[in-house]
Amino acid sequence: MLKSKTFVKKTRSGGVMKIVREHYLRDDIWCGSEACTECKQESTVLQKDTCIESSLCSYPHYLIPDTNVVLHQIDVLEDPVIRNVIVLQTVLQEVRHRSAPIYKRLKDMIHEKEKHFYTFTNEHHRDTFIEREPGESANDRNDRAIRMAAKWYSQHLKTSESNPDGLKVVLLTNDQGNKQKAEESGLLVHKCEEYIKSLIANPELVDRLALSSDDKNEITSNKVLFPEHLPLSKIQAGIKSGSFLQGTFRASRDNYLEATVFVQGEGEDTTEVLIQGLQNLNRAVHQDVVALQLLPQNQWVAPSSVVLQDEGAAKDDNVEEEEEEKVVRWTLTAVLQKTPARKPTGKIVGIIKRNWRPFCGMLNVSQIKESTRHLFTPADRRIPRIRIETRQASTLAGQRIMVAIDGWPKDSRYPNGHFVRSLGSAGEKETEQEVLLLEHDVPHQAFSQAVLSFLPKMPWAITPEDMVKRQDLRQLTVCSVDPPGCTDIDDALHCRELENGNLEVGVHIADVSHFIRPGNALDKEAANRGTTVYLCGKRIDMVPELLSSNLCSLRSNVDRLAFSCIWEMNHEAEILKTQFTKSVINSKSSMTYAEAQMRIDDTTKNDDITKSLRGLNKLAKILKRQRIQKGALTLSSLEVRFHMDSETHDPIDLQTKELMETNSMVEEFMLLANISVAQKIYDEFSECALLRKHPAPPPSNYDILLKAAKSKEVEIHTDSAKALADSLDVARVDGFPYFNTLLRILATRCMMQAVYFCSGMDSDFHHYGLASPIYTHFTSPIRRYADIIVHRLLAVAIGADGTYPDLMDKHKQSALCNNLNYRHKMAQYAQRASVAFHTQLFFKSRGILNEEGFVLFVRKNAIIVLIPKFGLEGTVFFDPKDKTAPSLVFDEEGPTLKVEEHTFHIFDKVKVTISLDDSNIQHQKIRMALTDPVIPGVSVPVPDTEPQTKKPRLDR
C-alpha cells in the first residue's frame, strides 16, 4: 500500500521544485511476541511468560513507553528488572531528534537480548499508520500514533489462540492529557512513577525515577533564590540584538561562587567573561551553553585567588544558609577590592543547552532520622551538590554512586536529581578507577561483538596478495626501542650505510589501517575512542588487544605489515631523498631505552643492531641541534614512575622518570617522520589533510614566567619561540643548579594545548613548540586514531589504497578533529588523576615524610610547593579565617607572600612534611606542612625520629 505526500519548495535560485514523498505501508510487520500465532514470524523478542510483579498490573503484560518516559526515565528502563518493552518507531524517531545520547542508550538496550526490547515499525504498518489531521500539532499527532499502536497490540494479542493467560499491553505516559485520551479509548495506561512504585519485588527502582514537576514542587521552598531564566525566544532575540552573549559555562574548581563563560567571537577569538556570586551564576552547571548579560564596567571585578569550597552541612534552604552566603560574599568582596586587574563580568540570564550527565560522587546522609531526602556531593568540585530522594541511604553511605540531575528550580539552593547506580566502596582501587574513567568520559566498556566481528580470523598470516603490493624489507636490521613492559609497539627503526657512502634511515610504523577499514563497526569504535588511555598499571585500548598487542605490534622475530618512511641522508643529517611505501618487516630486536643505551655505550659490541643504533643516535643528535637552532623549545615536566607490588598491584616505590639519549634518539626520528608525512599529505590534499598545530601563547601567559625570572635577576625573552629557547638556555643562577629546570617547568605551564585540525578549515599551521611550519601524527596508529586517518591519506597519495567520501570531506574531518582533541584532553586528565590516586596510595602507608622542595607559585593565602624527588605538587595554606593564624601580605607584582616576618618568592627552597589527609574519603589529598623556614603558628616541628616506612621491594 502506498501513501504519497506532494508539496512545493522554493529553490535558492528562486525557482519552484515539486517534491513527492512516498510512504509505503505493509501488512506483514511482525508483532514480535512469543504468544502470537497470527504473525508468520521467524523469530520473536517479547517473551510469552513475563515475570514482573506489579500491584497495579497483576496480569502478564508488555510495556509501551511514550517519548517523554524514554527521555526522562531512561535510567529506570536500563534496569535489568524492566524487560519485554515495545519501542514504537514513533518514539524512536522522536528520541533520536531530541537527544543523541539517550537514543544511543535506547539502541543499546534494543540490541541487548536479555532485555527483550522490541522495535515495532508502527509508522509503516497498515493498521497503525495515521495521517496528521488539519490543525493538529506534530506532538499531538505522535501521541495519537502511540495510542493507536497500543490499541492495535491489545486487540492483536487478544485474538491470539496461544494467549489464554490474557497477556496485555500497558501504556506508560506522564502526560495527563495523553493518559486521559488513552483511558477514553479503553487502553490500560499508567503514569511511569505509579507503575514503578507498584513493582512488588523491586522497591529500590523508585530511587532511579527522575523527579516529575509535582515532586519538584514538593521539595522546594516558597522563597525565590534565583532570578527566572528567560525563555528561548527572548534569549535568541537578545543575542541577535547584541544585548546578550552566548558561551560555554566553566565553573571554577577552587571557588564555587565563581565561573568563567567562554564566548566565541569571529574566527578563533574567544572572550572570557567572569561570573561571581550565586545570583549571577543563576543555576548554570559546568559545561552548559548559557546566555549572559554583561554588567556595567563599574561592576566588573577580578578573579579571586581565594579557595572557597561548598562543604557546609547538608541542610534545606533556610535563613541560616542565607547568613552563610552573606559571610562568603563579604569575604569574597574584601579580597577582590585589593585586586587591580578587573575583567569583563556578567550574569547568567538563561540556559540555551544543558550538558548534564550522570555524575559520580558520594551521599551526605541527612542528620534527620528517617529522612529520605539527602544531599549528594559530586567528585568533580565544579558540579554543585544535588538533592536526591532515596530509601537506601544507610546502604549507600560510604559508597561511590552515580546521580543524574532532573532540574534546578529557582526556589531551590541545589538542583534536584535521582540515584542511578552504585559503583562500589569508596577508596577501593577498582571503584576509584571506574570513577576516574567515568568522570573523564573515557569509553572503557568491553568491545562489542559487532566490533570484534571485523577482526581477522586466527591463525592469521601475510598472504601472497599482500606481498605483491608491498616492499619486502625483512632483510633489514630493523629494531624497536620502547619503555619497559610495552606490548603495543607502534614503531621500529633501521640505519645502514649505502654503497655511495650515504646513510639510509627508515621509520617503520604498524600498518593498522590495513586491518581497520573505513566505516565498519571497528573503525567507528576507534574513531569514537580516539586514543588509548594509559593509567597506572592499566591500559584502555583504542583497538582490540588482538591488534594492539599482537597483529599490529611490531614484535621481534615475526613478520609484520608496516608503513615505512625511508630517507637517504648524508652524514650531516641532510635529507637527500624521501620514500613512502607499504612494507613487510621483521624486527630483529625489541629493546627498552635502557637496553638500547647499554648497547650504544658498550664498546665491545659491534653487531649489526648496535651499529644501526649508533648510526641513528649520531644522526639524532645532529637533528636535535638543528631543531633547537631553528627555535624548537626544550621544556621540562616531571613524570613519575610507580613500581608495583606483583601481587597486590599497589605502588611500593615512586620515582621520577629518567630520560636517556635513546629517548631523544627515537623522538627525533618520530618527529622527522611526522613532518615529512605532513608535507606529503598537504601537497596532495591541501583541503582535507589532518594536521596538528601548536598555537603561540598570548603574551599574558608568560607573566608568571617573567616575574619568576625577574625575581632571580634573570632576563627571559618571549618575542618568539627561538628567543624563549635561547634565553632559557643561558638562564643560570650561581649556587642554584635546579633553577633552569624549574624555569623550564614553569615555561611548560605557559604553553597552549596542541590540537588537530583540517587544513581546509584553518590558515595557521605552525607548531610553536617544535618550530615547524607543518606537523601531523603518523607514528602511533595503534594508540591514536588521528594517525590512522593520516595513514589513509598517505596511502591514497602514493597510490597504495583507495579513497572514500568522508576522507575528502573537510567538514567531516574538522568534526572528527574536534572529537579527537576532546578525547586526547580527557585522556591526559584521566592519566593525571590516576597518578594522583596512586600517589595517595603510596603515601598512605608511609606515615609522615620530610622532604625538600621549591615554591612554584605564590597565592594570596598559600604557596604551591614542588617536590622534585616525587614529581609532586602540594599546597601549604595559611588560613586567614583562623584567629591564631599569622598576618598575610600578598604582593601581586612579585608575586610574594609575606607571612609574619618571612617573605616567600617563587623558586624559594623550603622543607615540608608530606602526609595523606584522608579525613574526606571522597577528596583525599596530599597535605604539606612547612618545617623550614620556621614561622610561629604555621611551621610543624620535625619528628625526632624518621617515620617507619616499608622498605620497597625490588620491582619484579
Side-chain angles (χ1 to χ4, degrees):
M1 187 175 172
L2 177 67
K3 295 270 184 182
S4 64
K5 188 177 184 181
T6 306
F7 58 94
V8 291
K9 181 182 175 185
K10 192 176 180 182
T11 64
R12 285 184 182 177
S13 60
V16 174
M17 181 189 293
K18 183 180 178 182
I19 296 175
V20 178
R21 284 192 180 159
E22 295 180 340
H23 190 91
Y24 290 90
L25 300 181
R26 301 171 56 171
D27 57 5
D28 59 349
I29 296 173
W30 305 331
C31 69
S33 171
E34 277 182 353
C36 175
T37 53
E38 300 293 315
C39 299
K40 308 297 182 196
Q41 44 200 358
E42 294 168 9
S43 60
T44 56
V45 174
L46 301 165
Q47 295 171 299
K48 185 177 181 180
D49 302 314
T50 59
C51 51
I52 194 161
E53 291 184 70
S54 163
S55 57
L56 271 179
C57 310
S58 55
Y59 37 80
H61 57 277
Y62 299 146
L63 297 174
I64 298 182
D66 73 359
T67 307
N68 283 322
V69 167
V70 173
L71 287 169
H72 298 129
Q73 306 296 352
I74 189 74
D75 292 319
V76 171
L77 295 176
E78 282 179 328
D79 194 278
V81 171
I82 306 298
R83 288 181 290 177
N84 294 295
V85 173
I86 299 163
V87 180
L88 300 178
Q89 182 187 0
T90 308
V91 171
L92 199 60
Q93 287 172 344
E94 274 199 287
V95 170
R96 184 182 183 182
H97 290 140
R98 290 171 62 179
S99 175
I102 291 177
Y103 176 72
K104 184 182 182 303
R105 289 165 72 181
L106 183 59
K107 290 289 282 184
D108 288 344
M109 284 190 277
I110 292 166
H111 291 141
E112 196 178 327
K113 287 183 179 178
E114 294 77 20
K115 292 284 287 176
H116 301 281
F117 274 44
Y118 178 66
T119 307
F120 179 64
T121 50
N122 62 304
E123 296 290 357
H124 288 278
H125 195 292
R126 188 178 62 186
D127 297 332
T128 57
F129 172 77
I130 59 167
E131 297 268 17
R132 185 172 165 185
E133 293 175 351
E136 187 177 36
S137 71
N139 188 57
D140 287 345
R141 181 263 167 207
N142 288 342
D143 283 347
R144 191 159 58 87
I146 292 167
R147 295 195 300 273
M148 174 65 78
K151 190 169 186 176
W152 178 85
Y153 255 103
S154 298
Q155 292 169 348
H156 181 75
L157 291 174
K158 200 181 286 182
T159 58
S160 179
E161 293 174 9
S162 61
N163 184 20
D165 299 327
L167 190 59
K168 293 180 171 61
V169 171
V170 175
L171 175 62
L172 296 182
T173 180
N174 290 330
D175 184 319
Q176 189 59 43
N178 193 22
K179 184 172 184 285
Q180 191 174 336
K181 286 174 183 174
E183 286 169 342
E184 289 168 2
S185 302
L187 294 174
L188 290 168
V189 57
H190 293 291
K191 281 194 171 183
C192 185
E193 289 84 350
E194 64 187 17
Y195 176 79
I196 296 302
K197 287 174 182 175
S198 77
L199 298 182
I200 297 162
N202 305 92
E204 73 283 351
L205 254 184
V206 175
D207 290 349
R208 300 184 71 172
L209 279 170
L211 293 176
S212 67
S213 53
D214 294 341
D215 295 329
K216 289 172 189 171
N217 292 336
E218 279 177 27
I219 63 172
T220 55
S221 67
N222 296 321
K223 178 181 63 193
V224 175
L225 300 173
F226 297 99
E228 188 85 61
H229 285 152
L230 296 179
L232 205 54
S233 57
K234 284 191 177 179
I235 290 173
Q236 288 168 341
I239 291 170
K240 194 173 182 180
S241 68
S243 55
F244 300 152
L245 298 173
Q246 176 179 329
T248 304
F249 182 88
R250 305 269 171 84
S252 167
R253 201 182 292 276
D254 298 321
N255 188 334
Y256 77 102
L257 293 177
E258 184 171 285
T260 305
V261 175
F262 288 80
V263 179
Q264 189 70 43
E266 289 185 13
E268 293 191 7
D269 293 338
T270 304
T271 306
E272 294 181 20
V273 180
L274 194 64
I275 314 289
Q276 284 188 343
L278 276 180
Q279 293 277 314
N280 291 340
L281 293 169
N282 197 8
R283 296 170 284 156
V285 177
H286 183 64
Q287 295 290 17
D288 282 351
V289 179
V290 299
L292 67 92
Q293 185 175 31
L294 281 176
L295 297 175
Q297 283 202 24
N298 61 355
Q299 293 180 35
W300 288 9
V301 293
S304 169
S305 295
V306 172
V307 175
L308 281 176
Q309 283 162 3
D310 185 11
E311 292 180 340
K315 55 186 177 250
D316 289 329
D317 312 309
N318 53 27
V319 178
E320 186 184 343
E321 193 162 19
E322 221 171 63
E323 290 303 312
E324 176 195 338
E325 290 305 325
K326 284 180 186 172
V327 172
V328 171
R329 279 200 298 273
W330 178 85
T331 309
L332 197 59
T333 307
V335 172
L336 290 169
Q337 284 170 347
K338 300 175 187 175
T339 311
R342 300 195 301 173
K343 292 179 68 174
T345 308
K347 63 179 182 180
I348 305 299
V349 295
I351 308 295
I352 296 168
K353 184 188 175 191
R354 289 290 194 187
N355 274 323
W356 295 340
R357 58 176 174 83
F359 300 104
C360 302
M362 294 183 72
L363 200 64
N364 289 8
V365 179
S366 173
Q367 302 301 310
I368 303 167
K369 227 178 181 183
E370 306 300 322
S371 175
T372 59
R373 192 178 305 162
H374 309 272
L375 277 183
F376 163 83
T377 303
D380 188 340
R381 290 189 184 275
R382 295 168 299 187
I383 306 300
R385 291 192 286 176
I386 303 164
R387 183 182 284 109
I388 69 167
E389 295 263 351
T390 178
R391 292 151 189 77
Q392 306 176 67
S394 56
T395 309
L396 298 178
Q399 290 198 348
R400 291 280 202 175
I401 63 172
M402 288 182 79
V403 162
I405 297 178
D406 298 325
W408 196 341
K410 62 184 177 182
D411 45 7
S412 173
R413 169 68 177 82
Y414 300 108
N416 300 319
H418 66 273
F419 168 74
V420 176
R421 66 186 174 102
S422 174
L423 300 170
S425 298
E428 288 185 1
K429 193 190 291 187
E430 288 301 314
T431 303
E432 296 303 324
Q433 197 157 260
E434 177 76 2
V435 169
L436 184 157
L437 293 169
L438 288 167
E439 281 297 292
H440 293 98
D441 195 16
V442 175
H444 59 286
Q445 67 279 13
F447 289 102
S448 68
Q449 281 305 312
V451 169
L452 298 175
S453 68
F454 286 96
L455 292 174
K457 301 295 180 281
M458 298 300 286
W460 175 85
I462 298 172
T463 64
E465 290 80 13
D466 291 329
M467 294 300 299
V468 170
K469 300 172 187 173
R470 295 173 180 269
Q471 202 168 330
D472 191 347
L473 304 179
R474 288 177 291 184
Q475 78 285 0
L476 296 178
T477 307
V478 173
C479 60
S480 62
V481 184
D482 290 283
C486 178
T487 59
D488 53 343
I489 303 171
D490 283 290
D491 54 87
L493 300 155
H494 89 270
C495 177
R496 64 172 179 169
E497 192 159 344
L498 299 173
E499 292 177 0
N500 61 9
N502 291 329
L503 297 169
E504 180 187 86
V505 177
V507 168
H508 311 278
I509 307 300
D511 190 4
V512 182
S513 62
H514 172 83
F515 297 96
I516 301 180
R517 302 310 295 164
N520 67 23
L522 178 56
D523 181 49
K524 287 176 181 174
E525 181 68 23
N528 177 47
R529 294 188 178 215
T531 180
T532 292
V533 181
Y534 295 90
L535 307 179
C536 300
K538 185 179 177 74
R539 188 180 80 203
I540 314 295
D541 281 325
M542 181 184 81
V543 297
E545 193 176 11
L546 178 65
L547 297 182
S548 65
S549 296
N550 187 350
L551 302 184
C552 292
S553 185
L554 305 182
R555 301 186 299 187
S556 55
N557 303 314
V558 288
D559 293 350
R560 287 289 178 258
L561 302 179
F563 211 150
S564 301
C565 176
I566 301 169
W567 303 278
E568 185 178 330
M569 294 180 173
N570 61 24
H571 287 265
E572 284 71 49
E574 293 172 334
I575 297 172
L576 307 174
K577 194 188 294 182
T578 305
Q579 180 196 2
F580 303 105
T581 181
K582 293 260 186 168
S583 61
V584 179
I585 64 165
N586 187 302
S587 173
K588 303 300 181 280
S589 179
S590 299
M591 294 169 279
T592 64
Y593 291 116
E595 288 166 350
Q597 193 66 54
M598 283 192 291
R599 273 183 178 271
I600 291 168
D601 296 340
D602 189 345
T603 53
T604 63
K605 283 189 179 291
N606 208 29
D607 56 273
D608 288 345
I609 294 172
T610 306
K611 283 195 283 188
S612 179
L613 287 170
R614 285 179 184 145
L616 290 164
N617 198 39
K618 183 182 174 184
L619 290 170
K621 288 177 181 177
I622 299 169
L623 289 168
K624 185 172 185 177
R625 188 169 65 247
Q626 290 172 350
R627 275 198 315 109
I628 291 170
Q629 284 170 358
K630 289 177 185 173
L633 296 172
T634 307
L635 301 176
S636 182
S637 62
L638 294 176
E639 291 187 58
V640 296
R641 177 176 173 76
F642 291 95
H643 293 277
M644 301 290 193
D645 187 294
S646 60
E647 293 164 12
T648 65
H649 301 290
D650 286 339
I652 54 175
D653 197 9
L654 173 63
Q655 62 192 67
T656 51
K657 292 180 183 177
E658 288 183 29
L659 297 180
M660 304 176 185
E661 272 186 7
T662 45
N663 288 80
S664 180
M665 175 190 80
V666 173
E667 182 185 19
E668 286 306 316
F669 286 107
M670 297 304 115
L671 293 175
L672 188 61
N674 287 335
I675 292 168
S676 297
V677 170
Q679 193 61 59
K680 177 68 176 176
I681 62 172
Y682 178 64
D683 289 345
E684 293 288 335
F685 309 110
S686 60
E687 286 292 296
C688 57
L690 192 154
L691 303 175
R692 187 165 175 83
K693 69 173 180 176
H694 183 214
S700 58
N701 277 31
Y702 288 122
D703 287 351
I704 191 69
L705 177 69
L706 297 173
K707 286 177 180 178
K710 188 180 177 183
S711 70
K712 299 295 181 186
E713 298 180 350
V714 169
E715 199 169 354
I716 295 291
H717 300 283
T718 58
D719 309 334
S720 66
K722 180 159 175 56
L724 176 61
D726 290 345
S727 51
L728 284 173
D729 285 343
V730 296
R732 298 283 184 275
V733 171
D734 293 339
F736 192 176
Y738 201 64
F739 171 75
N740 191 264
T741 304
L742 285 170
L743 209 57
R744 290 180 191 274
I745 289 171
L746 211 53
T748 305
R749 307 291 174 90
C750 302
M751 294 297 123
M752 303 290 282
Q753 186 82 30
V755 291
Y756 296 111
F757 68 101
C758 177
S759 58
M761 304 291 281
D762 210 325
S763 56
D764 176 21
F765 294 6
H766 190 74
H767 197 294
Y768 181 81
L770 298 174
S772 175
I774 194 166
Y775 191 68
T776 193
H777 273 163
F778 165 75
T779 54
S780 295
I782 292 177
R783 61 186 179 89
R784 292 188 305 233
Y785 188 76
D787 303 53
I788 293 177
I789 295 294
V790 170
H791 276 227
R792 289 173 181 169
L793 287 164
L794 184 61
V796 176
I798 65 171
D801 205 347
T803 186
Y804 57 99
D806 284 7
L807 193 65
M808 299 296 145
D809 187 326
K810 66 181 182 180
H811 298 286
K812 288 189 176 175
Q813 286 280 48
S814 186
L816 174 64
C817 288
N818 290 338
N819 180 59
L820 296 180
N821 291 329
Y822 170 73
R823 292 295 187 202
H824 276 259
K825 180 175 68 175
M826 297 319 267
Q828 283 182 332
Y829 292 164
Q831 193 170 349
R832 289 176 201 164
S834 180
V835 168
F837 174 67
H838 281 77
T839 303
Q840 290 167 8
L841 286 180
F842 173 75
F843 282 103
K844 195 171 188 176
S845 57
R846 296 300 187 279
I848 301 173
L849 299 182
N850 301 293
E851 295 295 341
E852 279 192 347
F854 298 95
V855 176
L856 202 56
F857 298 103
V858 177
R859 298 284 185 253
K860 289 186 176 177
N861 62 339
I863 55 173
I864 291 154
V865 177
L866 174 72
I867 311 296
K869 179 178 175 182
F870 298 127
L872 179 68
E873 281 179 41
T875 307
V876 177
F877 286 100
F878 309 105
D879 191 353
K881 289 181 280 184
D882 187 349
K883 290 179 182 177
T884 62
S887 61
L888 308 178
V889 180
F890 177 72
D891 178 10
E892 196 173 24
E893 288 303 307
T896 61
L897 180 65
K898 188 176 181 182
V899 185
E900 293 294 347
E901 297 304 312
H902 186 85
T903 302
F904 289 97
H905 305 80
I906 292 178
F907 298 163
D908 280 358
K909 184 182 277 191
V910 294
K911 288 184 181 176
V912 295
T913 60
I914 309 172
S915 59
L916 178 67
D917 177 7
D918 56 4
S919 56
N920 181 338
I921 193 167
Q922 172 155 250
H923 294 124
Q924 295 187 47
K925 56 192 173 190
I926 301 297
R927 183 171 291 283
M928 290 189 184
L930 204 62
T931 62
D932 185 27
V934 176
I935 298 174
V938 173
S939 300
V940 176
V942 182
D944 295 333
T945 56
E946 285 295 309
Q948 291 290 315
T949 60
K950 293 181 182 176
K951 187 176 180 181
R953 289 192 278 163
L954 291 174
D955 180 19
R956 299 180 189 173

